[in-house]
Coordinates of all heavy atoms in Angstrom, one line a residue:
Chain B
R74 N -104.0 -54.6 12.5 CA -105.4 -54.2 12.9 C -106.4 -55.3 12.5 O -107.4 -55.5 13.2 CB -105.8 -52.9 12.3 CG -107.1 -52.4 12.9 CD -107.6 -51.1 12.3 NE -106.9 -49.9 12.9 CZ -107.3 -49.3 14.0 NH1 -108.2 -49.7 14.7 NH2 -106.6 -48.2 14.4
K75 N -106.1 -56.1 11.5 CA -107.0 -57.2 11.2 C -107.2 -58.1 12.3 O -108.3 -58.7 12.5 CB -106.5 -58.0 10.0 CG -106.7 -57.3 8.6 CD -106.4 -58.2 7.5 CE -106.4 -57.4 6.2 NZ -105.5 -57.9 5.2
F76 N -106.2 -58.3 13.1 CA -106.3 -59.3 14.3 C -106.6 -58.5 15.6 O -106.8 -59.2 16.6 CB -105.1 -60.1 14.4 CG -104.8 -60.8 13.1 CD1 -103.6 -60.6 12.4 CD2 -105.7 -61.7 12.5 CE1 -103.3 -61.2 11.2 CE2 -105.4 -62.3 11.3 CZ -104.2 -62.1 10.6
H77 N -106.5 -57.2 15.6 CA -106.8 -56.4 16.8 C -107.6 -55.2 16.3 O -107.0 -54.1 16.2 CB -105.5 -55.9 17.5 CG -104.5 -57.0 17.8 ND1 -103.8 -57.7 16.8 CD2 -104.1 -57.6 19.0 CE1 -103.0 -58.6 17.4 NE2 -103.2 -58.5 18.7
P78 N -108.9 -55.3 16.1 CA -109.6 -54.2 15.4 C -109.6 -52.9 16.2 O -109.7 -51.9 15.7 CB -111.0 -54.8 15.2 CG -110.9 -56.2 15.5 CD -109.7 -56.5 16.3
L79 N -109.6 -53.0 17.5 CA -109.7 -51.8 18.4 C -108.4 -51.1 18.5 O -107.3 -51.7 18.6 CB -110.2 -52.2 19.8 CG -111.7 -52.8 19.8 CD1 -112.1 -53.0 21.2 CD2 -112.6 -51.8 19.1
D80 N -108.4 -49.8 18.6 CA -107.2 -49.0 18.8 C -106.5 -49.4 20.1 O -107.2 -49.6 21.2 CB -107.6 -47.5 19.0 CG -107.9 -46.8 17.7 OD1 -107.7 -47.4 16.7 OD2 -108.2 -45.6 17.8
T81 N -105.2 -49.5 20.1 CA -104.5 -49.7 21.3 C -104.2 -48.3 22.0 O -103.9 -47.3 21.3 CB -103.1 -50.3 21.0 OG1 -103.4 -51.7 20.8 CG2 -102.2 -50.2 22.2
A82 N -104.5 -48.2 23.3 CA -104.2 -47.0 24.0 C -103.1 -47.3 25.1 O -103.2 -48.3 25.7 CB -105.5 -46.5 24.7
I83 N -102.1 -46.5 25.1 CA -101.0 -46.8 26.0 C -100.9 -45.8 27.1 O -100.9 -44.6 26.9 CB -99.7 -46.8 25.1 CG1 -99.8 -47.9 24.1 CG2 -98.4 -46.9 26.0 CD1 -98.6 -47.9 23.1
K84 N -100.9 -46.4 28.3 CA -100.9 -45.5 29.5 C -99.4 -45.1 29.8 O -98.5 -45.9 29.9 CB -101.4 -46.4 30.7 CG -102.1 -45.5 31.8 CD -102.9 -46.4 32.7 CE -103.3 -45.7 34.0 NZ -102.6 -44.5 34.4
V85 N -99.2 -43.8 30.0 CA -97.9 -43.3 30.4 C -98.2 -42.3 31.5 O -98.8 -41.2 31.3 CB -97.3 -42.5 29.2 CG1 -95.9 -42.0 29.6 CG2 -97.1 -43.4 28.0
G86 N -97.8 -42.7 32.7 CA -98.2 -41.9 33.9 C -99.7 -41.8 34.0 O -100.4 -42.8 33.9
K87 N -100.2 -40.5 34.0 CA -101.6 -40.4 34.1 C -102.2 -40.2 32.7 O -103.4 -39.9 32.6 CB -102.0 -39.2 35.0 CG -101.7 -39.5 36.5 CD -101.9 -38.2 37.3 CE -100.8 -37.2 36.9 NZ -100.9 -36.0 37.8
N88 N -101.4 -40.2 31.7 CA -101.9 -40.0 30.3 C -102.1 -41.2 29.6 O -101.5 -42.3 29.8 CB -100.8 -39.1 29.6 CG -100.4 -37.9 30.3 OD1 -101.1 -36.9 30.4 ND2 -99.3 -37.9 31.0
I89 N -103.0 -41.1 28.5 CA -103.3 -42.1 27.6 C -102.8 -41.7 26.2 O -103.3 -40.6 25.8 CB -104.8 -42.4 27.6 CG1 -105.3 -42.9 29.0 CG2 -105.1 -43.5 26.5 CD1 -104.8 -44.3 29.4
I90 N -102.0 -42.4 25.6 CA -101.6 -42.1 24.2 C -102.4 -43.0 23.3 O -102.3 -44.3 23.4 CB -100.1 -42.2 24.0 CG1 -99.4 -41.3 24.9 CG2 -99.7 -42.0 22.5 CD1 -97.9 -41.3 24.8
G91 N -103.1 -42.5 22.3 CA -104.0 -43.3 21.4 C -105.4 -43.4 21.9 O -105.7 -42.8 23.0
G92 N -106.2 -44.1 21.1 CA -107.6 -44.3 21.5 C -108.4 -43.0 21.6 O -109.3 -42.9 22.4
G93 N -108.2 -42.1 20.6 CA -109.0 -40.9 20.5 C -108.5 -39.7 21.2 O -109.1 -38.6 21.1
T94 N -107.4 -39.8 21.9 CA -106.8 -38.6 22.6 C -105.8 -37.9 21.7 O -105.4 -38.5 20.7 CB -106.1 -39.0 23.9 OG1 -105.0 -39.9 23.5 CG2 -107.0 -39.8 24.8
V95 N -105.5 -36.7 22.0 CA -104.4 -36.0 21.3 C -103.3 -35.6 22.4 O -103.6 -34.9 23.3 CB -104.9 -34.7 20.6 CG1 -103.7 -33.9 20.2 CG2 -105.7 -35.1 19.4
T96 N -102.1 -36.2 22.3 CA -101.1 -36.0 23.2 C -99.9 -35.2 22.6 O -99.4 -35.6 21.6 CB -100.6 -37.4 23.7 OG1 -101.6 -38.1 24.2 CG2 -99.5 -37.2 24.8
V97 N -99.5 -34.1 23.3 CA -98.4 -33.4 22.7 C -97.2 -33.6 23.7 O -97.3 -33.4 24.9 CB -98.7 -31.9 22.6 CG1 -97.5 -31.1 22.1 CG2 -99.9 -31.7 21.6
I98 N -96.1 -34.0 23.1 CA -94.8 -34.2 23.7 C -93.9 -33.0 23.3 O -93.9 -32.7 22.1 CB -94.2 -35.5 23.3 CG1 -95.1 -36.7 23.5 CG2 -92.8 -35.7 24.0 CD1 -94.7 -38.0 22.8
A99 N -93.3 -32.4 24.3 CA -92.5 -31.2 23.9 C -91.3 -31.1 24.7 O -91.2 -31.7 25.8 CB -93.3 -29.9 24.0
G100 N -90.3 -30.4 24.2 CA -89.0 -30.2 25.0 C -87.9 -30.0 24.0 O -88.0 -30.0 22.8

Side-chain angles (χ1 to χ4, degrees):
Chain B
R74 191 179 279 276
K75 282 192 191 150
F76 306 117
H77 307 71
L79 295 184
D80 279 359
T81 284
I83 295 176
K84 208 166 167 341
V85 180
K87 292 171 294 184
N88 305 285
I89 299 289
I90 300 181
T94 61
V95 167
T96 306
V97 178
I98 304 168

